[in-house]
Amino acid sequence: MQTSPYGTWTSPITAADVAAAEALAEWLGFVGEEVWWTETRPLEGGRSALVRRTPDGRTEDALGPEWNVRTRVIEYGGRPWLALGATPDAGFVFTHWDDQRVHRAAPGARPVPISPEPTPSVSPRYCDFALVGSEVWCLRELVSGPGETGTRRDLVALPLDGSAARDPGAVRVLARSHHFMTGPKVAPDGGHVAWLGWDHPTMPWDATDVMCAPIGSDGTLGPARRIAGGPGVSVGQVEWAPDLPGVLYALSDQDGWWNIHEVDLAGGTCARCPRAEEFGEALWRIGARWFLPVGGGRMFVVHGTSGRQLAVLEADGALRDIGEPYTEWSQPATDGSRVAAVAAGPGLPRTVVLVDPRGPGIEQLRPAALRHPDHLPQGHHSILRGENGEDVHAYVYPPRNPDFTAPADELPPYLVQVHGGPTTRSQLIANQEIAFFTSRGIGVVDVQYGGSTGFGRRYRERLRENWGVVDVRDCATAARELGERKVADPDRIGIRGGSAGGWTAAASLAAEPDLYRAAGIYYPLLDPEEWRERGTHDFECRYLDSLIGPWPQARQRYEQVSPIRRAHRIRAPFVIMQGLDDAICPPVQAERMLALMRDSQVPHSYLAFEGEQHGFRRADTIAACLEAELALYARAFGFEAVPAGD
């Protein structure tokens, strides 16, 4: 083993390796015996392919390379496809990214549109489908201009015969209850339909209404009414019991945690398995699922706090875990007896797996693309103590390289990693992006700051009207405590993050100018005053009401936490990386910061990418950003970076 300073270790993990490994599987479903999913492919320009796994073990694309199965609903997207029967020959429907139209397809046949063409003035988007007779019911989003006044959502029915592709009048409007809605959940007996709704300034993790309406014999809906949820209660998913008429299950945090409740049509609720754990996540994308009823009062669920385990929830409320050795489960789907999902763990990268509780174990359907596993860091969950005595959760990844060790008297540099959202969380799993740094001798601490999900509503609401304060403070707590424990070199601390994490990284440079030595900032929000007024999309345009405070009453608070207004305090070098097609955090945010720093003595750089939106999808973009970050940290921490792969 060679002795060499931290940061100078030679690693076989290249930026290109990281980019290639980030093919993300999502939106799983069963089509008869087959498991299907969408898969983001950085090496194909970020295209989202629809993949099928056949019973004989073949994995193939369900569509040709010109098709991109992805929807722009609320910009973050939603469930973009649905099987139309129990066999692949029955076909399927999907939303195509390029035109946002719904298409009907079958194996071997070219897809045909079943929704109207967009017009110069109105852009329809669709997701979260349900098959009802000869129609597909779904959520439709109509975008005719910026912000709330230019966007409308409703539940609609699209004829499967394609008549609406020629005649927009053939689209049948079913219901419009709220400014934001999820897609329709139709009861097995066809008598009722349920959905979730909420209005500005509420976000879905603040409060949602569970709406229910009767379905008439002619396919029209009767009056809708709220049967669960309401002020102060977040419901993230509803599903009908497959064999209990009139019983709806809801993922509700009415008791402080997202637990599963049984709801009857009269509005009565009963917790199925009350625990101080989460059985779901924040509803960032329409149609997300975390629990799956399978009959007899049983269901497949994911549950936990800092991780998520797959389990069977029995009719009597007993919970039986079935997911070892994986510790993170998401995107579950079921055929009634088996469950397919995306699974991962501390030494296990994300992969699509199939679990039969009656069978011998877990079958991998999509082999994990994990290179150089011996160079992965051994991360662990740590609970730090905030300055006000609160718990601060974090995942700590010390430097690790089997071929190198550092001088005995040297402490490693560390990067504080800040997840986006902010109302979401990170996962403690095998992560090639983190390994890109740790295998070179740079530690990473991934902070689950106050406001993160996974630890109950009270922990989430620590961030309420305190964004730019609590998140910044918790990240600083992690950095300082690692220094005090002699885990990290307190004079070589950097910070990195994207989206809301980019905000926290930039705000931290201004709030803690003596703590951080560098920052990697991805597609950030930087000017909250401009962003809330005209700088973002409809879904989040009132998010700051809860994160910072209602406008204009909280004007002073906006000024106090704004990275733009405090740019003069920044002394550490940074790089901003921005997609030029970003509708969520538009480039103007980064450009305003750069203009303010133009005459500054602080070294900084800007990488802008044509064709990238919010969250980079292309392999060359991802690789270029990691190389730029590494070069920045080498200069800031005082070592000479070894070229990747050398």
Side-chain angles (χ1 to χ4, degrees):
M1 182 175 289
Q2 182 178 343
T3 299
S4 185
Y6 289 113
T8 66
W9 299 351
T10 300
S11 172
I13 301 175
T14 68
D17 288 336
V18 177
E22 286 300 311
L24 181 63
E26 303 178 303
W27 306 121
L28 275 66
F30 277 87
V31 183
E33 290 295 305
E34 299 186 4
V35 178
W36 291 31
W37 63 85
T38 63
E39 185 172 287
T40 302
R41 294 178 174 172
L43 296 177
E44 296 181 25
R47 180 176 78 95
S48 184
L50 184 60
V51 178
R52 56 185 293 195
R53 167 78 176 205
T54 61
D56 62 4
R58 290 180 295 112
T59 301
E60 59 189 34
D61 285 7
L63 295 163
E66 70 272 28
W67 298 100
N68 193 347
V69 182
R70 183 180 168 209
T71 174
R72 288 192 65 168
V73 169
I74 67 168
E75 295 298 338
Y76 290 107
R79 187 168 293 274
W81 72 278
L82 174 74
L84 297 177
T87 66
D89 290 341
F92 55 97
V93 295
F94 68 95
T95 298
H96 177 46
W97 174 259
D98 292 359
D99 59 12
Q100 290 297 296
R101 299 177 78 181
V102 180
H103 293 70
R104 183 177 183 178
R110 183 169 179 81
V112 295
I114 64 169
S115 67
E117 282 191 275
T119 69
S121 58
V122 179
S123 298
R125 305 164 179 179
Y126 306 86
C127 75
D128 209 8
F129 305 101
L131 178 63
V132 183
S134 61
E135 297 176 319
V136 169
W137 291 12
C138 60
L139 174 69
R140 179 183 67 179
E141 178 180 81
L142 294 175
V143 180
S144 58
E148 180 177 6
T149 58
T151 308
R152 190 183 78 195
R153 296 171 187 87
D154 38 38
L155 302 184
V156 301
L158 301 175
L160 279 169
D161 63 10
S163 55
R166 304 178 296 274
D167 175 17
V171 178
R172 196 160 61 88
V173 176
L174 299 168
R176 184 182 305 128
S177 64
H178 294 71
H179 187 61
F180 296 98
M181 303 164 66
T182 62
K185 299 284 187 177
V186 180
D189 62 6
H192 290 82
V193 60
W195 65 91
L196 302 177
W198 66 97
D199 293 307
H200 281 315
T202 300
M203 299 300 286
W205 40 86
D206 297 325
T208 46
D209 295 330
V210 178
M211 305 300 296
C212 185
I215 303 174
S217 58
D218 60 353
T220 61
L221 303 190
R225 60 188 180 88
R226 187 181 76 199
I227 62 170
V233 178
S234 167
V235 178
Q237 181 189 353
V238 291
E239 303 287 345
W240 293 97
D243 56 351
L244 299 173
V247 172
L248 188 70
Y249 298 116
L251 178 69
S252 171
D253 74 346
Q254 63 193 60
D255 299 319
W257 296 81
W258 276 313
N259 283 187
I260 298 169
H261 292 71
E262 187 174 309
V263 181
D264 61 43
L265 294 181
T269 64
C270 174
R272 286 293 315 277
C273 182
R275 286 188 171 208
E277 294 183 7
E278 307 282 31
F279 285 73
E281 298 286 348
L283 185 63
W284 278 98
R285 297 195 294 172
I286 306 300
R289 299 172 187 164
W290 298 279
F291 70 90
L292 306 165
V294 293
R298 299 171 70 247
M299 62 184 72
F300 291 113
V301 301
V302 296
H303 71 100
T305 53
S306 61
R308 291 291 180 275
Q309 185 56 266
L310 179 68
V312 176
L313 178 57
E314 303 289 356
D316 62 1
L319 200 61
R320 176 168 57 91
D321 289 341
I322 58 174
E324 293 184 353
Y326 298 99
T327 57
E328 283 287 356
W329 291 80
S330 61
Q331 305 284 337
T334 187
D335 63 356
S337 59
R338 302 173 300 166
V339 60
V342 177
L348 302 165
R350 293 186 183 94
T351 185
V352 179
V353 300
L354 181 64
V355 184
D356 187 339
R358 306 159 301 181
I362 297 175
E363 178 186 358
Q364 279 198 9
L365 302 186
R366 176 185 178 274
L370 180 60
R371 300 184 181 182
H372 314 294
D374 54 335
H375 285 72
L376 286 175
Q378 296 176 338
H380 62 274
H381 178 206
S382 181
I383 300 177
L384 312 173
R385 189 66 61 193
E387 63 181 48
N388 293 330
E390 312 101 335
D391 288 345
V392 178
H393 296 268
Y395 307 140
V396 181
Y397 299 89
R400 180 178 182 234
N401 187 314
D403 301 320
F404 286 89
T405 186
D409 59 349
E410 184 184 5
L411 292 174
Y414 255 77
L415 300 176
V416 174
Q417 182 156 294
V418 194
H419 66 69
T423 313
T424 183
R425 67 184 181 96
S426 303
Q427 297 182 352
L428 182 61
I429 63 174
N431 185 309
Q432 292 273 46
E433 183 174 310
I434 290 175
F436 178 79
F437 296 108
T438 57
S439 63
R440 288 168 167 79
I442 304 171
V444 175
V445 54
D446 194 348
V447 184
Q448 310 304 297
Y449 49 87
S452 302
T453 58
F455 308 103
R457 188 175 186 116
R458 183 173 176 273
Y459 195 83
R460 289 202 317 270
E461 295 208 334
R462 281 185 53 213
L463 202 61
R464 181 171 290 275
E465 298 191 1
N466 274 300
W467 199 35
V469 178
V470 166
D471 51 325
V472 168
R473 186 174 64 214
D474 286 357
C475 287
T477 291
R480 290 196 171 96
E481 187 158 333
L482 292 185
E484 291 168 1
R485 293 181 184 178
K486 305 298 184 185
V487 171
D489 182 345
D491 294 324
R492 294 192 293 173
I493 301 291
I495 189 167
R496 67 188 303 263
S499 188
W503 152 278
T504 301
S508 295
L509 291 188
E512 298 277 1
D514 297 323
L515 178 60
Y516 299 105
R517 296 294 181 263
I521 302 171
Y522 287 76
Y523 33 86
L525 187 160
L526 296 169
D527 184 349
E529 297 167 69
E530 191 270 344
W531 192 80
R532 61 153 297 279
E533 182 178 356
R534 59 186 180 278
T536 192
H537 62 141
D538 178 44
F539 177 60
E540 291 181 275
C541 70
R542 299 292 301 276
Y543 195 6
L544 298 187
D545 283 40
S546 58
L547 288 177
I548 300 177
W551 185 270
Q553 300 94 312
R555 180 191 297 271
Q556 185 176 7
R557 199 176 304 135
Y558 280 72
E559 296 173 357
Q560 290 171 342
V561 298
S562 168
I564 285 282
R565 286 184 174 266
R566 299 202 292 175
H568 62 280
R569 290 176 51 85
I570 294 175
R571 297 204 293 268
F574 62 87
V575 56
I576 295 179
M577 293 149 286
Q578 177 70 48
L580 294 179
D581 293 346
D582 192 337
I584 296 171
C585 291
V588 66
Q589 291 272 311
E591 291 161 1
R592 290 195 61 197
M593 171 71 87
L594 294 166
L596 289 172
M597 301 296 295
R598 185 173 297 126
D599 298 327
S600 167
Q601 299 301 307
V602 175
H604 59 278
S605 57
Y606 181 49
L607 279 66
F609 300 95
E610 294 277 1
E612 289 282 13
Q613 293 98 38
H614 195 70
F616 298 153
R617 300 171 70 88
R618 298 176 178 173
D620 54 351
T621 300
I622 296 167
C625 291
L626 287 173
E627 295 285 11
E629 276 196 88
L630 182 60
L632 169 69
Y633 303 140
R635 292 191 298 270
F637 298 154
F639 59 79
E640 183 176 349
V642 179
D646 285 4

